[in-house]
Amino acid sequence: MKVGIIGTGYVGLPTGVGLAELGHDVVCIDAVEEKIAALKAGKITLFEEGLEELFHKNAASGKLRFTSDMKEGVQNADVVILAVGTPPHPVTKEADMRYVHAAARELALHLTGYTVVANKSTVPVGTGDAVEKIIREVNPAADFDVVSLPEFLREGFAVHDFFNPDRIIVGANTEKAANVIKALYAPFGEKAHMLFVKRRSSETIKYASNAFLAMKIHYINEMANFCEKSGADVYEVAQGMGLDTRIGAKFLNPGPGYGGSCFPKDTNAMAYMAKGYGVEMSLIETTIRKNDARKVEMAERILKATEGIENPKIAVLGLAFKGGTDDCRESPAMEIIAALLKHKVSITAYDPKAMDTAKKLVGDQIEYAADAYEAAKGADVLAVLTEWVDFKSLDLAKIKAALKSPKIVDLRNLLDKSEAEQQGFDYQGIGR
Ligand code: NAD
């Protein structure tokens, strides 16, 4: 099938690469010309495990092409996928729909034959109707259907998740459109786990899922606070809870609060939408408020470890919002750094993949090190803020020799607590 994908970011690029690998003819479209120029020149524009190899393979075979020309990407396509950003409005926190609406207007003129416009961006309920209306207004003669096709990939596992989807939710209002999406994923065979629902249900499923996961994280973080006071170990508690299949073991890892480009914006967008319908979402509202507060509390923990030291030097390990990605959008690490910078401190940070993206956000307000040991050099405390596996195998003796005082605040419980204590560190984790 011929597929056009509008938006070549963390969703659009892995989706394009994945669909090309499944055998489709894919054209990835992006408004940012430098991005397209880089991709055309064979330079991948974001980090995802396993993506680069498949990107080169499919670009070389001609199955995967790139353009900034909407017409080139959309004409003759059987399916046009919208994967543009829906960032939070800076004041209301509702989903900002300007990119989706603009893309709908731009693609409308170039539709040829029957086309399914599939919306992968995370969008408020009713967006399918709005996109349909825009396309109809711009091009009354167009033959098309709009479906909701929400994306559930986890950054850091995007390639794995594309090829091993837990579920593919399709919100199609016509059988014809549903059949086109079935054909798109037909190469998966039984693995596809497709669920066909009303378009508005599909749009809701995405927000309902992310808000639920965010609440689960908030829940275990509050349990971690309780364990710290009560003498229990949150890992043992989570393990015991997770054995109950009704609860499930996943998303019970305590940490500095959730972040990233999805959970904060999607919980806020869900709460905003519910308000519009006059529906109370007390659990989601509380989760948002407490999760925001948690970043500041985490910064205070780090500052406490440097109490009495004038202008302390803090070594930060990890800037990305989680391990396995270079994405720093709403990263807890970045928010903790922002809270720390309100005090007289100096920070030297290291991240295996996210130094460049972080630099765009905090610039020279902090220093950047070439590795964890350089970051630790002369620091009064080492703070672990992102769960990169690389940090698990740090040589703690070398870290101790680099630090001014052997203190670790491990907000991801990544390092081996007993080994750190044996080495003479004052080690503080979460919830134990
Ligand atoms: P992103 O910012 O990484 O990428 C969006 C891309 O769209 C950018 O490259 C931008 O230049 C391009 N774009 C915007 N307007 C355009 C236009 N009119 N024409 C062509 N290109 C245009 O965003 P993302 O992280 O890939 O997220 C995209 C959507 O998917 C969002 O709604 C997000 O909530 C949702 N989502 C993201 C994830 C994730 O893990 N990142 C997971 C599931 C769902």
Side-chain angles (χ1 to χ4, degrees), residues 10-83:
Y10 286 90
V11 167
L13 189 57
T15 303
V17 169
L19 289 172
E21 179 69 14
L22 290 186
H24 299 303
D25 281 319
V26 178
V27 183
C28 291
I29 309 151
D30 206 284
V32 177
E33 287 187 12
E34 302 87 79
K35 211 179 242 190
I36 293 300
L39 291 164
K40 272 183 167 169
K43 196 173 171 295
I44 197 146
T45 44
L46 55 89
F47 174 74
E48 268 296 340
E49 196 66 52
L51 186 64
E52 193 162 3
E53 192 190 332
L54 289 180
F55 158 78
H56 288 304
K57 178 182 162 205
N58 286 285
S61 72
K63 286 263 164 220
L64 180 66
R65 290 179 292 126
F66 301 95
T67 183
S68 47
D69 176 2
M70 190 64 80
K71 185 175 178 187
E72 191 186 330
V74 168
Q75 69 180 1
N76 303 322
D78 302 295
V79 182
V80 174
I81 295 176
L82 284 171

Side-chain angles (χ1 to χ4, degrees), residues 6-12 29-32 35 46 70 83-86 99 102-103 106 120-123 151-155 206 210 261-262 265-266 321 327 329:
I6 306 178
T8 310
Y10 286 90
V11 167
I29 309 151
D30 206 284
V32 177
K35 211 179 242 190
L46 55 89
M70 190 64 80
V84 299
T86 45
Y99 304 103
E106 292 161 36
K120 251 194 187 308
S121 297
T122 303
V123 292
E151 180 53 62
F152 298 99
L153 66 76
R154 299 164 299 163
E155 278 184 36
K206 175 63 195 176
N210 271 4
S261 70
C262 289
K265 105 175 155 56
D266 293 349
F321 85 91
D327 195 349
R329 289 177 288 181

Side-chain angles (χ1 to χ4, degrees), residues 157-170:
F157 301 91
V159 175
H160 172 273
D161 289 353
F162 178 88
F163 290 105
N164 303 278
D166 279 344
R167 81 282 213 203
I168 296 170
I169 304 289
V170 187

Side-chain angles (χ1 to χ4, degrees), residues 68-195:
S68 47
D69 176 2
M70 190 64 80
K71 185 175 178 187
E72 191 186 330
V74 168
Q75 69 180 1
N76 303 322
D78 302 295
V79 182
V80 174
I81 295 176
L82 284 171
V84 299
T86 45
H89 185 283
V91 181
T92 63
K93 306 275 175 80
E94 70 193 284
D96 184 344
M97 296 304 292
R98 84 180 81 162
Y99 304 103
V100 172
H101 292 167
R105 262 189 300 277
E106 292 161 36
L107 74 87
L109 281 177
H110 308 298
L111 296 173
T112 51
Y114 175 71
T115 314
V116 170
V117 177
N119 188 17
K120 251 194 187 308
S121 297
T122 303
V123 292
V125 175
T127 297
D129 304 327
V131 167
E132 199 171 296
K133 190 161 170 264
I134 291 171
I135 299 174
R136 185 87 51 223
E137 273 167 14
V138 175
N139 185 354
D143 182 16
F144 71 100
D145 274 309
V146 176
V147 307
S148 161
L149 188 62
E151 180 53 62
F152 298 99
L153 66 76
R154 299 164 299 163
E155 278 184 36
F157 301 91
V159 175
H160 172 273
D161 289 353
F162 178 88
F163 290 105
N164 303 278
D166 279 344
R167 81 282 213 203
I168 296 170
I169 304 289
V170 187
N173 287 353
T174 70
E175 210 180 320
K176 193 175 177 189
N179 286 337
V180 170
I181 302 299
K182 254 186 214 161
L184 185 70
Y185 290 107
F188 277 146
E190 289 295 300
K191 228 170 68 172
H193 308 301
M194 295 182 90
L195 177 69

